[in-house]
């Protein structure tokens, strides 16, 4: 499996992959798309997306942004046909390794409290809860929810 840094031309494909993956996982508590192409392009200016591209088709992605000695990881998305195949873990390993090599000491992320599957995934990878944040006020979820912040030392 080849993991690369995404380029600007892949912004639309990244948007479609994220929205497809998140729609399947989050439709029970929120409607609509998770992100738009304008937001993806803005994120690309602050950080980068690592992607798995097979047969000229985007299969998985994750966003990474360095913030001093800390790094932020988000928007991990895997093509629904390839979930539970190890691609998500491979992307996580690549993101953590890259941030470690860049001198980051911690990787931070946030998940929606209703997503117990993601909580288990990140806990197995060594992430621990560090707090909570409110869900964005401009979104209207079907169920009450909030973000759980998690962190992992990279040393």
């Amino acid at each position: 499996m080849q993991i690369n840094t995404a380029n600007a031309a892949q912004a639309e494909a990244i948007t479609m992959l994220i929205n497809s993956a998140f729609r399947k996982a989050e439709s029970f508590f929120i409607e609509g798309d998770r992100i738009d192409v304008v937001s993806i392009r803005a994120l690309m200016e602050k950080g980068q997306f690592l992607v798995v591209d097979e047969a000229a088709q985007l299969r998985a992605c994750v966003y990474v942004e360095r913030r001093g000695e800390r790094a932020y990881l988000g928007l991990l998305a895997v093509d629904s046909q390839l979930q539970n195949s190890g691609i998500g873990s491979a992307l996580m390993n690549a993101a953590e390794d890259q941030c470690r090599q860049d001198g980051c000491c911690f990787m931070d992320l946030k998940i929606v409290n209703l997503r117990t599957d993601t909580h288990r995934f990140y806990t197995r990878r060594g992430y621990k809860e560090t707090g909570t944040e409110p869900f964005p006020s401009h979104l209207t979820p079907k169920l009450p929810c909030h973000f759980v912040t998690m962190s992992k030392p990279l040393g």
Side-chain angles (χ1 to χ4, degrees):
M1 163 182 356
Q2 184 73 26
I3 297 174
N4 299 304
T5 301
N7 60 54
Q10 293 175 297
E12 288 187 31
I14 290 169
T15 304
M16 290 189 309
L17 174 67
I18 291 169
N19 287 333
S20 174
F22 279 79
R23 189 175 303 114
K24 180 180 177 186
E26 296 183 341
S27 63
F28 74 97
F29 75 89
I30 195 156
E31 291 181 15
D33 288 340
R34 181 60 127 79
I35 199 158
D36 59 35
V37 72
V38 171
S39 298
I40 292 293
R41 288 189 178 116
L43 287 171
M44 288 177 139
E45 291 180 15
K46 297 189 308 183
Q48 64 184 3
F49 282 89
L50 300 180
V51 296
V52 174
D53 216 350
E54 292 179 345
Q57 187 171 354
L58 194 65
R59 300 296 188 181
C61 69
V62 67
Y63 175 71
V64 181
E65 181 182 325
R66 282 153 204 79
R67 299 175 176 173
E69 73 167 12
R70 305 189 82 85
Y72 175 77
L73 180 139
L75 298 171
L76 175 64
V78 177
D79 181 312
S80 62
Q81 297 176 358
L82 298 172
Q83 290 181 357
N84 298 312
S85 68
I87 290 177
S89 290
L91 272 173
M92 291 291 298
N93 290 338
E96 290 170 0
D97 289 346
Q98 186 174 37
C99 291
R100 192 178 293 111
Q101 290 169 7
D102 289 346
C104 294
C105 300
F106 299 93
M107 182 74 83
D108 302 321
L109 57 85
K110 59 185 175 181
I111 59 171
V112 178
N113 69 307
L114 301 175
R115 297 280 315 274
T116 56
D117 56 330
T118 56
H119 190 277
R120 282 191 304 272
F121 175 79
Y122 292 118
T123 299
R124 281 194 311 267
R125 295 194 53 82
Y127 287 82
K128 300 207 181 315
E129 288 187 36
T130 58
T132 61
E133 292 181 9
F135 200 70
S137 59
H138 68 280
L139 298 174
T140 309
K142 300 176 198 175
L143 301 169
C145 59
H146 61 272
F147 285 119
V148 175
T149 56
M150 302 181 84
S151 186
K152 173 183 177 175
L154 294 177

